[in-house]
């Protein structure tokens, strides 16, 4: 199968030019001006941007959490991602405490194999919930299986939390193996004490989720994990960084030359703690961890993106329906499942809030939504750019099209969740056509095929994936 994309404006993290792109089977085979190739299919991209498919390095499909399961599985989640212009996700497999991480990986491979299978390519990080010396060898096996990054939690005591000793052991091993640590950096032990105080004082409403998670406790987690990573000599990646306090710790470490990258998410760039004040129980929709912060933090995060102290924008897509799932916490905020939807809206939100609003240029938009994640997580240059020999994961993006994000707008909501975290947001810039390894999976906002996404074995840190 061959495809010729004509007349588009090709934008990568470094380039911006008009050219045609010729695709044979899964790869880009030629880029040039006015190509005269015979092709099975010709796509006219006049007036459109031709960009690398988005890479979302932080999703939770089919995840057991908070007494329920995240509402998108490996069929609905990747489909929604694709409609929004994302062609690769890195989801989180979980080690059951006391069991093998390899078993956790098998379980997540099985989840992704159910039904029509993912529409787009995917990888896995491994969430480590304990790591005795006897299991350290598994981390090398995971890396050989293409799972070259691990997430550990300082938050959620009794659930996913691990102590500093476990952090250090896992960090050392990950560093030795040439892999990366992803850190949920928040002092969950202190936060649990603050929650106990709030509960004892009779507080039950959703807003108390935010009030019991001070930004200083995120900053402390960032500081501590960086210190441990420095001693253990492992590259660190702070996930879902939400506030200025935490960003300051990243900046300080990077000034010292520490190998730490940080990710933020659209929810921290566009939403703020006032969402918790909504009528009745509605604030539960935005109960996520870290919590939404005071609005002024948003400007600091945009600055962090501008000055490259923030590397990537992921979604932390972890949706729970308002009815029946978020409602598990009707009696107390401590029982509201933590997480929010967003995998479908990331590209438009960042294009609109970043490029249209003048906060970043087009190259930086591509970098933060695709290339930087590919580089951080061993997918580059196979993914994350447009060049001869790379996977034809391509988005044809209409920079002029406007949409209003809504659970009721069939163009903006394919996620299997009964609300939108960005309800009523008007965005300019919208995904029109999507190619995944040379297959047209979405064309003019219509899904064209089912399944076909592959598990991608990722390379080690600083290695190439061709
Ligand atoms: O609230 C969130 N973020 N839920 C998903 C789990 C995590 O901490 O990433
Ligand atoms: Zn987390
Ligand atoms: Zn997460």
């Amino acid at each position: 199968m061959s495809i010729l994309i004509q007349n588009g404006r090709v934008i990568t993290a470094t380039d911006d030019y008009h050219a045609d792109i010729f695709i044979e089977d899964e790869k880009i085979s030629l880029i040039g001006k006015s190509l005269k190739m015979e092709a099975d299919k010709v796509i006219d991209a006049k007036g459109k941007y031709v960009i690398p498919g988005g890479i979302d390095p932080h999703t939770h499909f089919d995840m057991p959490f908070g007494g329920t399961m995240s509402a998108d599985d490996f069929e609905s989640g990747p489909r929604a991602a694709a409609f929004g212009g994302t062609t690769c996700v890195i989801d989180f497999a979980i080690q059951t405490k006391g069991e093998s991480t390899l078993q956790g990986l098998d379980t997540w491979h099985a989840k992704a194999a159910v039904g029509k299978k993912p529409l787009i390519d995917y990888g896995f990080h491994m969430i480590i919930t304990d790591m005795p010396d006897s299991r350290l060898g598994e981390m090398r096996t995971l890396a050989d299986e293409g799972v070259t990054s691990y997430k550990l939690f300082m938050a959620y005591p009794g659930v996913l939390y691990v102590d500093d000793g476990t952090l250090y052991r896992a960090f050392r091993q990950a560093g030795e193996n040439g892999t990366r640590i992803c850190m949920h950096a928040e002092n969950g032990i202190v936060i649990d004490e603050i929650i106990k105080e709030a509960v004892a004082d009779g507080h039950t409403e959703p807003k108390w989720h935010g009030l019991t998670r001070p930004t200083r406790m995120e900053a402390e987690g960032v500081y501590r994990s960086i210190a441990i990573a420095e001693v253990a000599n492992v590259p660190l990646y702070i996930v879902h960084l939400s506030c200025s306090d935490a960003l300051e710790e990243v900046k300080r470490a990077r000034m010292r030359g520490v190998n730490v990258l940080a990710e933020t998410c659209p929810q921290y760039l566009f939403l703020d703690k006032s969402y918790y004040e909504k009528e009745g129980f509605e604030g539960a929709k935005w109960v996520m961890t870290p919590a939404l912060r005071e609005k002024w933090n948003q400007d600091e995060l945009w600055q962090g993106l501008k000055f490259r102290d923030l590397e990537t924008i992921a979604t932390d897509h972890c949706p729970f329906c308002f009815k029946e799932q978020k409602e598990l916490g009707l009696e107390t905020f401590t029982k509201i499942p933590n997480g929010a939807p967003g995998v479908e809206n990331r590209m438009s939100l960042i294009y609109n809030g970043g490029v249209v609003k003048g906060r970043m240029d087009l190259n930086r938009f591509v970098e933060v939504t695709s290339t930087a994640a590919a580089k951080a997580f061993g997918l580059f240059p196979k993914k994350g750019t447009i060049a001869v020999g790379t996977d034809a994961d391509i988005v044809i993006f209409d920079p002029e099209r406007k949409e209003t994000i809504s659970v009721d707008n069939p163009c903006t909501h394919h996620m299997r969740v009964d609300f939108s975290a960005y309800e009523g947001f008007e965005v300019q810039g919208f995904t029109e056509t999507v190619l995944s390894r040379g297959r047209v999976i979405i064309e003019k906002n219509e899904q064209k095929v089912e399944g076909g996404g592959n598990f991608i074995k990722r390379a080690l840190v600083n290695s190439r994936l061709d």
Side-chain angles (χ1 to χ4, degrees), residues 15 17 32 37 39 42 113 129-130 185 193 209 235 242 252 260 308 334 337 344 372 400 413 426 432 439 445 463:
D15 300 311
Y17 55 94
M37 324 292 295
V42 176
T129 54
D130 69 1
E193 293 300 318
H209 175 75
S242 73
R252 244 193 292 278
V260 53
R308 298 176 169 275
T334 61
E344 186 168 354
E400 301 301 329
H413 199 94
E426 288 180 15
E432 188 183 271
R439 294 175 307 139
N445 306 104
S463 302

Side-chain angles (χ1 to χ4, degrees), residues 48-117:
K48 310 280 159 54
Y49 297 156
V50 179
I51 58 176
I55 298 175
D56 188 341
H58 191 153
T59 62
H60 300 278
F61 301 142
D62 209 1
M63 181 199 188
F65 202 45
T68 182
M69 299 290 282
S70 62
D72 273 314
D73 60 17
F74 280 88
E75 194 181 322
S76 65
R79 184 191 310 124
F83 272 105
T86 289
T87 55
C88 185
V89 295
I90 312 178
D91 202 86
F92 289 85
I94 305 181
Q95 173 199 22
T96 304
K97 243 189 208 7
E99 289 181 13
S100 161
T101 55
L102 304 176
Q103 211 165 307
L105 181 60
D106 286 347
T107 304
W108 256 258
H109 275 308
K111 283 173 185 274
V114 167
K116 294 185 185 127
K117 305 227 309 233

Side-chain angles (χ1 to χ4, degrees), residues 38-317:
E38 286 287 317
D40 298 320
K41 184 177 177 67
V42 176
I43 299 173
D44 184 12
K46 193 167 169 41
K48 310 280 159 54
Y49 297 156
V50 179
I51 58 176
I55 298 175
D56 188 341
H58 191 153
T59 62
H60 300 278
F61 301 142
D62 209 1
M63 181 199 188
F65 202 45
T68 182
M69 299 290 282
S70 62
D72 273 314
D73 60 17
F74 280 88
E75 194 181 322
S76 65
R79 184 191 310 124
F83 272 105
T86 289
T87 55
C88 185
V89 295
I90 312 178
D91 202 86
F92 289 85
I94 305 181
Q95 173 199 22
T96 304
K97 243 189 208 7
E99 289 181 13
S100 161
T101 55
L102 304 176
Q103 211 165 307
L105 181 60
D106 286 347
T107 304
W108 256 258
H109 275 308
K111 283 173 185 274
V114 167
K116 294 185 185 127
K117 305 227 309 233
L119 182 59
I120 58 171
D121 289 349
Y122 58 98
F124 291 130
H125 312 275
M126 175 58 63
I127 289 177
I128 291 174
T129 54
D130 69 1
M131 189 44 67
D133 287 341
S134 57
R135 286 204 190 290
L136 283 170
E138 290 178 9
M139 291 177 70
R140 171 127 9 219
T141 311
L142 287 170
D144 293 341
E145 294 294 320
V147 177
T148 53
S149 47
Y150 315 97
K151 183 177 178 187
L152 291 100
F153 289 77
M154 292 171 157
Y156 312 127
V159 188
L160 298 169
Y161 167 88
V162 293
D163 63 22
D164 287 357
T166 305
L167 290 183
Y168 177 72
R169 275 195 305 282
F171 280 28
R172 286 269 296 164
Q173 191 63 49
E176 253 172 49
N177 292 351
T179 55
R180 186 179 295 283
I181 291 291
C182 301
M183 195 67 228
H184 182 129
E186 260 190 320
N187 189 322
I189 299 292
V190 172
I191 287 169
D192 257 20
E193 293 300 318
I194 302 172
I195 290 173
K196 274 190 224 154
E197 287 167 4
V199 169
D201 289 344
H203 299 301
T204 59
E205 312 97 299
K207 71 173 179 188
W208 284 91
H209 175 75
L211 291 170
T212 52
R213 307 189 90 88
T215 56
R216 292 306 311 159
M217 289 299 97
E218 184 180 348
E220 190 276 337
V222 170
Y223 171 81
R224 183 160 35 106
S225 59
I226 288 172
I228 299 171
E230 259 185 287
V231 174
N233 197 21
V234 67
L236 188 65
Y237 178 92
I238 305 290
V239 296
H240 49 45
L241 187 142
S242 73
C243 60
S244 172
D245 275 356
L247 178 59
E248 285 306 311
E249 297 301 337
V250 170
K251 283 197 222 168
R252 244 193 292 278
R254 287 171 63 87
M255 291 271 279
R256 287 208 316 280
V258 180
N259 189 350
V260 53
L261 306 177
E263 155 198 292
T264 191
C265 310
Q267 52 269 38
Y268 305 119
L269 293 165
F270 298 107
L271 307 175
D272 63 78
K273 69 177 210 165
S274 67
Y275 282 77
Y276 296 130
E277 302 288 347
K278 288 190 185 268
E279 186 86 18
F281 187 62
E282 209 188 336
K285 291 176 180 172
W286 295 276
V287 165
M288 63 185 80
T289 305
L292 297 179
R293 306 303 195 183
E294 285 178 25
K295 195 167 176 55
W296 63 267
N297 286 279
Q298 294 172 3
D299 287 340
E300 299 295 317
L301 297 181
W302 284 109
Q303 285 291 103
L305 286 163
K306 181 169 175 179
F307 292 109
R308 298 176 169 275
D309 289 308
L310 292 174
E311 193 77 7
T312 55
I313 304 177
T315 58
D316 191 10
H317 177 83

